Amino acid sequence: TLLQGNHRMYVRPVRDLVDALHTNGCKIEYKGKDGCLPLLIHGTGLPGGEITLDATISSQYVSSVLMCSPYAQSEVTLHIANGKAISQSYIDMT
């Protein structure tokens, strides 16, 4: 699946999320500028297991992992790296 977006999405960095998903066994390729959309996602599913994300800049990546965790092939344990998460209230809501 080719994940694209509007022009703004092509300059927003997604490297932290992609790196965390790579570490978890997901197969994702950058098809444009390294670290940004577009991405080619090989639909093998989220394996599950341990995922570590830095949430000091944005909580959106944490929320995205939380939302897909119920569909993972095995239980997901999410670790927040580098201290306290920003926008903790959004994570709590998710």
Side-chain angles (χ1 to χ4, degrees):
T1 301
L2 184 63
L3 179 62
Q4 303 180 76
N6 65 26
H7 69 282
R8 178 74 179 109
M9 295 303 295
Y10 285 76
V11 296
R12 292 193 66 183
V14 294
R15 180 181 307 283
D16 289 344
L17 178 59
V18 171
D19 287 352
L21 294 174
H22 274 155
T23 301
N24 191 252
C26 295
K27 294 174 180 34
I28 303 169
E29 297 175 52
Y30 295 110
K31 298 309 283 183
K33 180 181 172 187
D34 202 39
C36 298
L37 292 182
L39 301 173
L40 181 61
I41 301 172
H42 300 276
T44 56
L46 182 64
E50 309 241 345
I51 298 176
T52 302
L53 283 169
D54 182 345
T56 57
I57 296 171
S58 173
S59 64
Q60 291 177 338
Y61 298 154
V62 173
S63 292
S64 68
V65 170
L66 290 173
M67 286 190 280
C68 33
S69 291
Y71 303 100
Q73 296 164 13
S74 64
E75 185 174 296
V76 172
T77 302
L78 180 59
H79 301 279
I80 306 299
N82 300 323
K84 187 175 169 131
I86 194 167
S87 304
Q88 182 65 46
S89 59
Y90 284 106
I91 295 171
D92 294 343
M93 200 171 21
T94 304

